[in-house]
Amino acid sequence: MRTLKYAILGLVNRMPMTGYDITGEFNNNHLANFWYAKHSQVYPELGRLADEGLLTCQVVIQGEKMEKKLYTITEAGRQELKEWLLQEDPLGPTPKDVFRLRMYFSDFMSREEMKTHLKNQIKKHMDKRQYLLDIMEHNHQNHVPALGTKEYGDFLVLEGAILRESSYIEWLENAMKREEGCES
């Protein structure tokens, strides 16, 4: 399945965008907290979507000479996006996690090496959780946006990311307590 196809259709469904705008959404927006696409992936997909009649492209002049392509979703694109949104998918494979793989082989680490790894991971995940909490505070000021809005979808995904980080931290702290308990 070309999931990038639906991510792009969803973005362009919200408003017409250039390829540059779309790439920016993947790299600099809240979308980057759970989905990522490179510039080299976005532009070929835009071409395919236009060829399939799911997007239209209009060349507009920016400034005096610079041209940019502005993509707009077609009715067929909206219909395909809607069908995809309503699909039920099986649970996907567990995402790869290099740190968990290291923990799987932790029997090859000294107790001190293990503690160092755990401390470093706790710090990284606490920093990431704080970053997400700051975004939540800035964008939603501790209130749940109205159901059916773009802001509500953003809120849901951000809330899930915060809970994911909190759960990971709890797991790491439990492991750290066990390590400290083994020293006595």
Side-chain angles (χ1 to χ4, degrees):
M1 176 191 287
R2 290 170 31 213
T3 308
L4 178 58
K5 166 184 180 175
Y6 300 105
I8 291 172
L9 286 174
L11 288 171
V12 177
N13 189 50
R14 288 186 171 161
M15 62 195 257
M17 301 178 100
T18 65
Y20 179 82
D21 296 333
I22 292 166
T23 301
E25 288 290 315
F26 284 116
N27 295 322
N28 302 321
N29 202 320
H30 308 298
L31 194 56
N33 287 315
F34 65 95
W35 194 265
Y36 178 81
K38 298 177 194 168
H39 172 88
S40 61
Q41 296 170 295
V42 169
Y43 284 90
E45 189 63 36
L46 284 169
R48 283 191 287 276
L49 293 170
D51 290 345
E52 294 168 6
L54 303 176
L55 294 179
T56 58
C57 174
Q58 176 185 2
V59 176
V60 293
I61 304 296
Q62 182 177 8
E64 289 184 31
K65 297 181 183 179
M66 191 169 161
E67 292 182 350
K68 64 180 183 177
K69 293 180 179 179
L70 189 64
Y71 292 90
T72 306
I73 195 164
T74 65
E75 194 52 45
R78 268 191 199 88
Q79 183 59 41
E80 192 151 336
L81 174 63
K82 181 76 170 183
E83 288 171 13
W84 175 79
L85 287 170
L86 298 177
Q87 282 179 4
E88 275 296 321
D89 293 323
L91 190 60
T94 302
K96 294 178 181 178
D97 183 330
V98 174
F99 179 76
R100 287 180 193 246
L101 184 60
R102 286 189 176 113
M103 292 300 97
Y104 185 77
F105 296 113
S106 62
D107 52 320
F108 294 104
M109 290 184 206
S110 71
R111 186 163 268 123
E112 204 50 49
E113 290 166 334
M114 176 79 155
K115 282 174 59 176
T116 298
H117 268 302
L118 290 169
K119 284 179 189 176
N120 290 340
Q121 284 296 306
I122 289 170
K123 169 87 171 90
K124 288 176 188 177
H125 285 277
M126 288 181 107
D127 288 348
K128 182 154 188 185
R129 182 179 61 187
Q130 188 58 54
Y131 166 76
L132 295 168
L133 287 166
D134 290 346
I135 293 171
M136 181 68 88
E137 172 64 26
H138 180 263
N139 291 348
H140 304 290
Q141 286 123 22
N142 295 323
H143 81 281
V144 178
L147 184 69
T149 63
K150 172 188 178 285
E151 292 77 17
Y152 183 72
D154 177 54
F155 174 85
L156 283 178
V157 170
L158 197 50
E159 181 182 52
I162 291 166
L163 290 171
R164 178 194 64 221
E165 292 305 319
S166 295
S167 174
Y168 209 102
I169 292 165
E170 182 181 356
W171 171 65
L172 292 166
E173 287 175 340
N174 286 340
M176 181 64 90
K177 286 176 191 169
R178 278 188 218 97
E179 274 303 307
E180 290 169 351
C182 289
E183 290 179 3
S184 32

